[in-house]
Amino acid sequence: MKSLLCALALVTVSATALLPSQAMAQVGVNITIGVPPPPPRYEIVPPPRVGYLWAPGYWNWDGRRHVWAGGHWERARNGYRYDRPQWQHGRNGWELRRGGWQRGGHRGGYDHRRGGHRDYRDGGDHRHR
């Protein structure tokens, strides 16, 4: 009975050790359609929050039409940068690149090279349009 409990405890600890790495995994899915997105909406960005960054809103696709997904706070992640979702026109139509967290950032920053938005720490204009 004692060896059975030890084996069960070992399996539980092993499974628990794997959970954080699985929770960090991301799946990249892009959507391609023939209809361009409407112009971006103006959002008032709330004051900065320590340990968080603002993810600006964007036009999402619900399968039939564009729907606005409002901006929200994301907990900063060291060693990652946040790329905002954005639409790009290509050979096959309009493609929504979902963005999200990518390795290679600094202090959980926002990649201002994508879409002209800047990180709060750089003194830039943060009224995401």
Side-chain angles (χ1 to χ4, degrees), residues 16-99:
T16 304
L18 295 176
L19 288 179
S21 62
Q22 291 173 349
M24 299 282 282
Q26 291 185 348
V27 175
V29 176
N30 293 336
I31 296 172
T32 303
I33 60 171
V35 182
R41 288 187 178 177
Y42 176 81
E43 287 187 312
I44 297 175
V45 179
R49 289 176 59 185
V50 175
Y52 290 83
L53 62 88
W54 181 254
Y58 67 99
W59 288 104
N60 199 359
W61 183 255
D62 74 355
R64 296 184 328 248
R65 62 187 172 92
H66 288 96
V67 291
W68 183 253
H72 63 277
W73 290 108
E74 288 276 341
R75 182 179 293 276
R77 295 175 60 184
N78 288 331
Y80 289 80
R81 73 175 189 275
Y82 183 81
D83 293 335
R84 70 178 183 86
Q86 62 182 8
W87 287 93
Q88 291 184 335
H89 190 254
R91 271 186 283 175
N92 298 324
W94 287 90
E95 181 178 319
L96 174 59
R97 297 182 184 222
R98 294 278 180 195

